[in-house]
């Protein structure tokens, strides 16, 4: 926040004479840095690093100056100041860590080596979270190093630690999950690592939880890369990778994977759902989805052709030549005009026109290409399954090559059916080598080798999988199919997994429960007793057993607040029909509530449909965090409190939330989901 940084720096400069010489140098260099000319950003950053160096000449034991210098040397590489030596920055940061092993510059060291040489940062990965345990990102960052080194169990541990700290933070400070930087990214990466480990049950559970989290038009929708987007994406991919087709089909008719208004999401959903039906042998439903995808493809191609014609006609119109008619009118396209003469006649430059027409065509095609490619790949894949059913295995393989997302294990199975044993084995062997330490390709390798009549190689591959099996969900189909090989050829018990051993270089880890809960859950709403516009006392506890929307507004003189009440007022009947009450709390004292009531009646010609409560001393505003302590000002707030008194959704902002339809729809979703969860707990 540059405005605040400049303000703080200004105040520090006023007081610097009371500080030590060392502190004065810090204050002065920061003041120059935060006030640098944005047009000379590179020069300002260079001056900042030079100032830090000069400070260190005078105070060589200033660890924070060294840490900030190391950070600047690394981060400024993307600002036109090259990083000429990773080792020089590493030496500087290690000088800090030699004197303070728990300094949070572990964070910078991880970034420094992440894409360069990840193993150089293993010591920082072991200590980063512990050096600042209340910051979720500090637990997340070691996950970069472990994932880069294919140590997925250690990466997943770090990401779970990060998620737990985030959950504790959100529930303590009363913020929605997707208001937290990096939260959704951390959890979707955790799901990926869990999938690599074979932990299908936990990966699915977490993906579903991401889908369940409160949605918000600013922070979390299917079109933004937040929990809703990533939860749905990872739920599809995990169910697909573990071949849990029945579960995918079942969830497709629930809020987790239901149809959406997004064309991209719907095309993706049809691909996964069609694949699930064909893979379970339900060709009737598979063919229905194939027909729907083909219709979508034809419609999209026609729309593309029309858009190209319109774009090219715009070019033709600009130079004054005949336009191309709609092909449905069956009029032939006019020939291109003759080339312009050197004399400057009105004839068109044919070469330039051809170039402009080609550009209009390619630019327009690009807007449609992704959807057409997705639909075309789905058609090829589905036709491939039909070819397998008809035992046309070579045709099926040719169609699968034109598609995307089909598992290597299944393609190897069809390749074996085509009589191409060596090719099938190569497919799974290459996949296992490219996806190091991942259990899914290892399982596919075992199964293919066994079917290819290579028992000794299959047993060797199984031994490797067993050494990586500490987190495997043995009930997932791709692992359940290995039971006969495990108990028969290999002589393993039915539960052939071996416990995971924590490596010695991961440091002393705390108990995960000490960092926070595994899942986010709503926080308890503070009760209140306030006076309504009629002079009666109203308590939040009066609404126990009924969900309620509580709106905090800034009094009758706030025009935005009046607009919000005008939007929610006409929707009150719909909220009531859904079993949801509504009330509003004003920052005005009781004497001024009548102004809000009268203004509403005057503007809408209707009576205020829900109660207005007075909170002139702002204590309830402050309890609900509808108050900015730094700026010393009240904030707008809209809350959904469920029948048990927990806040399931909220919006706190300098502006009022103006979309009652969104609040109503999201409230219904969350309350239905909340009721289902409470029923499960009760049982």
């Amino acid at each position: 926040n540059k405005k605040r940084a400049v303000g703080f720096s200004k105040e520090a400069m006023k007081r610097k004479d009371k500080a030590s010489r060392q502190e004065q140098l810090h204050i002065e260099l920061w003041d120059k840095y935060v006030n640098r000319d944005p047009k000379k950003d590179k020069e300002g950053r260079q001056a900042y690093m030079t100032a830090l160096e000069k400070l260190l000449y005078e105070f060589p034991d200033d660890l924070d100056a060294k840490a900030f210098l190391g950070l600047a040397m690394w981060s400024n590489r993307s600002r036109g100041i090259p990083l000429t030596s990773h080792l020089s920055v590493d030496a500087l940061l290690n000088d800090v860590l030699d004197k303070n092993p728990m300094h949070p510059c572990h964070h910078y060291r991880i970034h420094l080596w992440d894409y360069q040489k990840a193993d150089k940062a293993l010591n920082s990965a072991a200590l980063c979270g512990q050096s600042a345990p209340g910051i979720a990102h500090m637990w997340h960052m070691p996950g970069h190093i472990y994932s880069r080194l294919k140590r997925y169990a250690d990466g997943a541990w770090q990401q779970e630690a990060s998620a737990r700290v985030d959950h504790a933070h959100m529930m303590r400070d009363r913020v929605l999950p997707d208001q937290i930087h990096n939260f959704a990214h951390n959890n979707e990466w955790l799901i990926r690592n869990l999938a690599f480990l074979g932990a299908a049950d936990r990966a699915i559970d977490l993906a579903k939880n991401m889908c369940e989290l409160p949605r918000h038009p600013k922070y979390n929708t299917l079109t933004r890369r937040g929990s809703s987007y990533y939860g749905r994406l990872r739920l599809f991919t995990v169910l697909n990778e573990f071949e849990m087709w029945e579960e995918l089909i079942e969830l497709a008719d629930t809020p987790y994977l239901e149809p959406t208004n997004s064309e991209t999401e719907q095309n993706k959903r049809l691909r996964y759902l069609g694949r699930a039906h064909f893979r379970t042998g339900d060709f009737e439903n598979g063919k229905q989805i194939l027909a729907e995808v083909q219709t979508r493809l034809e419609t999209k191609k026609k729309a593309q052709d029309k858009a190209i014609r319109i774009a090219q006609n715009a070019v033709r119109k600009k130079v004054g030549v005949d336009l191309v008619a709609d092909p449905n009118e069956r009029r032939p396209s006019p020939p291109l005009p003759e080339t312009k003469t050197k004399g400057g006649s009105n004839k068109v430059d044919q070469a330039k026109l051809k170039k402009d027409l080609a550009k209009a065509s390619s630019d327009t095609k690009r807007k449609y290409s992704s959807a057409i490619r997705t639909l075309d790949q789905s058609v090829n894949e589905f036709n491939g399954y039909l070819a397998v059913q008809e035992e046309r295995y070579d045709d099926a393989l040719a169609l699968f090559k034109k598609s995307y997302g089909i598992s290597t294990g299944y393609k190897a199975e069809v390749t074996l059916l085509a009589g191409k044993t060596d090719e099938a084995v190569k497919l799974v062997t290459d996949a296992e080598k490219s996806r190091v330490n991942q259990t899914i390709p290892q399982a596919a390798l075992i199964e293919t080798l066994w079917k290819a009549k290579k028992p000794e190689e299959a047993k060797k591959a199984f031994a490797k999988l067993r050494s990586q099996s500490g987190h495997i969900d043995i009930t997932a189909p791709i692992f359940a199919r290995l039971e006969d090989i495990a108990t028969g050829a290999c002589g393993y018990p039915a539960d052939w997994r071996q416990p995971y051993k924590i490596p010695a270089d991961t440091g002393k880890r705390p108990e995960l429960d000490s960092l926070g809960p595994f899942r986010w859950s709503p926080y308890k709403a503070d009760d209140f007793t306030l006076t309504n516009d009629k002079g009666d006392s109203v308590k939040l506890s009066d609404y126990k057993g009924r969900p309620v929307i509580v709106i905090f507004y800034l009094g009758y003189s706030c025009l935005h607040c009046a607009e919000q009440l005008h939007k929610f007022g006409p929707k009150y009947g719909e909220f009531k029909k859904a079993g949801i009450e509504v009330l509003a709390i004003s920052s005005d004292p009781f004497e001024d509530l009548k102004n809000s009531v009268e203004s509403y009646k005057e503007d809408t010609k209707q009576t205020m449909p829900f109660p207005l409560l007075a909170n002139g001393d702002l204590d309830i505003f402050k309890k609900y965090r509808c108050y900015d302590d730094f700026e010393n000002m009240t904030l707008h707030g809209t809350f959904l409190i469920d029948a048990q008194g927990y806040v399931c959704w909220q919006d706190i902002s300098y502006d009022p939330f103006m979309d009652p339809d969104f609040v109503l729809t999201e409230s219904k979703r969350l309350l239905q989901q909340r009721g289902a969860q409470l029923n499960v707990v009760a049982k």
Side-chain angles (χ1 to χ4, degrees):
N1 188 319
K2 183 170 182 178
K3 181 181 177 182
R4 289 186 179 180
V6 169
F8 275 121
S9 186
K10 183 178 179 180
E11 292 300 319
M13 287 292 286
K14 289 179 184 177
R15 295 162 169 76
K16 71 172 185 175
D17 290 341
K18 299 177 183 179
S20 68
R21 165 68 178 166
Q22 187 174 1
E23 291 171 328
Q24 286 178 8
L25 291 176
H26 272 288
I27 292 167
E28 289 167 359
L29 70 86
W30 271 103
D31 186 66
K32 289 179 181 178
Y33 183 64
V34 299
N35 287 290
R36 67 190 183 279
D37 184 349
K39 295 180 180 178
K40 296 181 179 179
D41 183 68
K42 179 180 176 181
E43 292 84 349
R45 290 173 179 275
Q46 186 65 63
Y48 167 69
M49 292 193 294
T50 300
L52 281 169
E53 281 200 322
K54 288 182 177 179
L55 187 154
L56 286 166
Y57 295 158
E58 193 169 340
F59 299 97
D61 293 328
D62 190 325
L63 300 187
D64 289 337
K66 290 180 181 179
F68 282 131
L69 179 56
L71 172 62
M73 291 170 68
W74 172 78
S75 62
N76 285 338
R77 78 205 186 288
S78 60
R79 303 290 182 171
I81 303 174
L83 174 59
T84 57
S85 169
H86 285 71
L87 287 173
S88 62
V89 178
D90 190 62
L92 184 65
L93 296 180
N94 273 319
D95 193 25
V96 175
L97 295 171
D98 285 344
K99 295 180 177 62
N100 180 5
M102 298 305 288
H103 194 285
C105 71
H106 286 298
H107 179 191
Y108 319 150
R109 283 197 73 245
I110 289 173
H111 277 295
L112 176 70
W113 293 114
D114 188 7
Y115 290 96
Q116 188 73 15
K117 191 169 174 34
D119 61 345
K120 294 282 288 182
L122 276 171
N123 55 342
S124 283
L127 295 174
C128 186
Q130 291 88 326
S131 71
I135 300 176
H137 191 64
M138 296 292 277
W139 294 102
H140 167 84
M141 283 308 301
H144 282 246
I145 297 303
Y146 293 127
S147 296
R148 194 81 59 198
L149 297 173
K150 319 299 183 189
R151 292 173 53 169
Y152 300 117
D154 297 318
W157 189 95
Q158 295 290 158
Q159 288 152 351
E160 182 177 335
S162 176
R164 286 174 178 267
V165 172
D166 264 338
H167 296 152
H169 172 191
M170 291 181 283
M171 294 161 69
R172 179 187 65 243
D173 295 339
R174 303 186 177 189
V175 295
L176 288 185
D178 283 272
Q179 288 181 266
I180 298 292
H181 168 71
N182 218 48
F183 172 76
H185 161 63
N186 176 81
N187 283 13
E188 70 86 17
W189 196 346
L190 171 54
I191 293 169
R192 281 185 280 150
N193 278 344
L194 289 171
F196 295 158
L197 293 169
D201 47 355
R202 298 193 70 214
I204 291 169
D205 182 45
L206 183 55
K208 290 173 72 174
N209 181 249
M210 291 187 78
C211 294
E212 294 165 353
L213 293 175
R215 296 175 186 173
H216 191 288
K218 286 184 181 179
Y219 314 119
N220 181 23
T221 68
L222 284 176
T223 56
R224 294 178 180 273
R225 298 202 167 219
S227 293
S228 294
Y229 170 84
Y230 280 123
R232 185 179 171 99
L233 172 66
R234 295 298 166 221
L235 187 52
F236 270 129
T237 57
V238 171
L239 291 168
N240 176 74
E241 288 176 354
F242 288 99
E243 301 182 13
M244 302 176 77
W245 309 122
E246 289 82 3
E247 291 87 344
L248 193 155
I249 293 167
E250 181 182 349
L251 289 172
D253 290 325
T254 72
Y256 293 108
L257 299 177
E258 65 188 349
T260 75
N261 294 326
S262 165
E263 180 187 33
T264 301
E265 277 296 318
Q266 190 60 6
N267 288 342
K268 179 171 66 178
R269 177 180 178 276
L270 288 171
R271 183 184 71 202
Y272 282 117
L273 191 54
R275 181 180 296 163
H277 282 304
F278 279 116
R279 290 291 302 273
T280 55
D282 183 355
F283 284 84
E284 181 178 348
N285 279 313
K287 287 177 181 178
Q288 288 180 8
I289 292 178
L290 171 58
E292 183 177 347
V293 171
Q294 286 174 323
T295 300
R296 282 173 166 261
L297 179 59
E298 291 166 8
T299 301
K300 203 68 180 176
K301 285 181 175 179
K302 287 179 181 177
Q304 183 187 58
D305 291 341
K306 182 178 179 180
I308 290 171
R309 178 174 57 80
I310 292 171
Q312 290 187 333
N313 276 343
V315 174
R316 290 187 172 92
K317 186 176 181 180
K318 192 173 181 179
V319 297
V321 300
D322 290 339
L323 307 184
V324 174
D326 189 318
N328 294 326
E329 297 179 9
R330 299 187 179 180
R331 283 173 49 192
S333 300
L336 290 172
E338 297 178 8
T339 306
K340 184 188 290 187
T341 63
K342 290 183 179 180
S345 70
N346 292 328
K347 292 182 178 179
V348 175
D349 184 335
Q350 190 179 47
K352 184 177 185 306
L353 179 58
K354 284 183 176 179
K355 182 178 179 181
D356 291 344
L357 289 173
K359 185 176 187 306
S361 176
S362 63
D363 289 348
T364 305
K365 276 185 178 180
R366 196 175 300 116
K367 298 175 183 178
Y368 293 80
S369 59
S370 178
I372 288 175
R373 182 170 58 252
T374 297
L375 292 166
D376 195 43
Q377 288 175 346
S378 296
V379 169
N380 286 323
E381 177 181 347
F382 298 163
N383 281 323
Y385 296 130
L386 293 174
V388 171
Q389 183 193 29
E390 297 167 0
E391 299 184 2
R392 295 184 290 108
Y393 303 122
D394 286 329
D395 291 342
L397 291 172
L399 288 163
F400 291 154
K401 284 182 180 179
K402 298 176 184 178
S403 189
Y404 173 78
I406 306 168
S407 71
T408 303
Y410 180 73
K411 286 190 285 188
E413 181 182 342
V414 177
T415 305
L416 285 174
L417 291 171
K420 302 174 181 178
T421 301
D422 291 343
E423 189 176 325
V425 171
K426 186 177 187 307
L427 268 175
V428 289
T429 302
D430 289 348
E432 186 262 349
K433 288 179 179 177
S434 65
R435 297 174 62 182
V436 178
N437 290 343
Q438 295 184 28
T439 58
I440 293 173
Q442 191 70 24
L445 175 63
I446 296 165
E447 191 171 15
T448 303
L449 288 170
W450 188 257
K451 289 179 179 179
K453 311 296 184 186
K454 297 179 181 290
E456 294 307 313
E457 292 178 46
K459 286 192 283 186
K460 185 177 178 181
F462 211 136
K464 182 176 179 181
L465 176 63
R466 199 174 183 221
S467 70
Q468 304 165 342
S469 63
H471 298 84
I472 280 177
D473 172 11
I474 205 167
T475 67
I478 60 169
F479 300 122
R481 291 199 299 265
L482 302 179
E483 183 177 355
D484 288 344
I485 304 174
T487 57
C490 299
Y492 300 144
D495 186 349
W496 42 265
R497 295 170 296 182
Q498 291 181 321
Y500 172 71
K501 295 181 180 178
I502 300 173
D505 64 354
T506 56
K508 186 177 180 181
R509 290 174 170 174
E511 291 294 327
L512 285 169
D513 285 342
S514 70
L515 300 177
F518 185 56
R519 292 284 178 268
W520 175 85
S521 61
Y523 63 87
K524 190 74 173 177
D526 291 293
D527 199 6
F528 53 76
T529 302
L530 297 170
T531 305
N532 68 11
D533 53 293
K534 296 181 177 63
D536 302 322
S537 289
V538 176
K539 299 179 180 179
L540 177 62
S541 56
D542 294 339
Y543 291 87
K544 187 174 182 180
R546 294 172 292 168
V548 58
I549 299 294
V550 180
I551 298 170
F552 286 80
Y553 73 102
L554 312 189
Y556 74 93
S557 61
C558 173
L559 295 179
H560 275 111
C561 298
E563 184 183 353
Q564 183 188 31
L565 295 179
H566 292 170
K567 285 181 178 292
F568 275 80
K571 296 287 183 179
Y572 179 63
E574 295 182 42
F575 280 96
K576 283 282 288 183
K577 187 177 179 181
I580 303 170
E581 296 288 342
V582 180
L583 62 85
I585 300 176
S586 171
S587 59
D588 283 336
F590 167 71
E591 295 78 18
D592 291 331
L593 278 185
K594 62 181 180 180
N595 293 315
S596 292
V597 174
E598 291 171 1
S599 295
Y600 184 88
K601 187 172 184 179
E602 182 179 337
D603 293 339
T604 66
K605 311 305 179 188
Q606 301 287 330
T607 303
M608 175 65 70
F610 46 77
L612 302 184
L613 311 181
N615 186 218
D617 61 9
L618 303 179
D619 61 320
I620 306 305
F621 269 79
K622 292 177 180 179
K623 280 187 176 182
Y624 278 76
R625 309 297 174 99
C626 294
Y627 193 85
D628 187 330
D629 293 305
F630 189 86
E631 301 287 358
N632 196 30
M633 64 185 292
T634 48
L635 299 171
H636 303 269
T638 305
F639 298 80
L640 166 66
I641 302 174
D642 72 6
Q644 289 74 39
Y646 288 87
V647 176
C648 296
W649 185 92
Q650 68 186 43
D651 176 83
I652 301 173
S653 175
Y654 293 97
D655 298 308
F657 194 83
M658 295 292 195
D659 191 348
D661 291 324
F662 179 91
V663 175
L664 179 59
T665 301
E666 180 63 0
S667 295
K668 289 178 180 178
R669 184 185 77 88
L670 290 172
L671 292 172
Q672 180 184 18
Q673 178 180 286
R674 181 90 170 130
Q677 291 169 344
L678 290 172
N679 285 337
V680 170
V681 171
K683 289 177 181 179

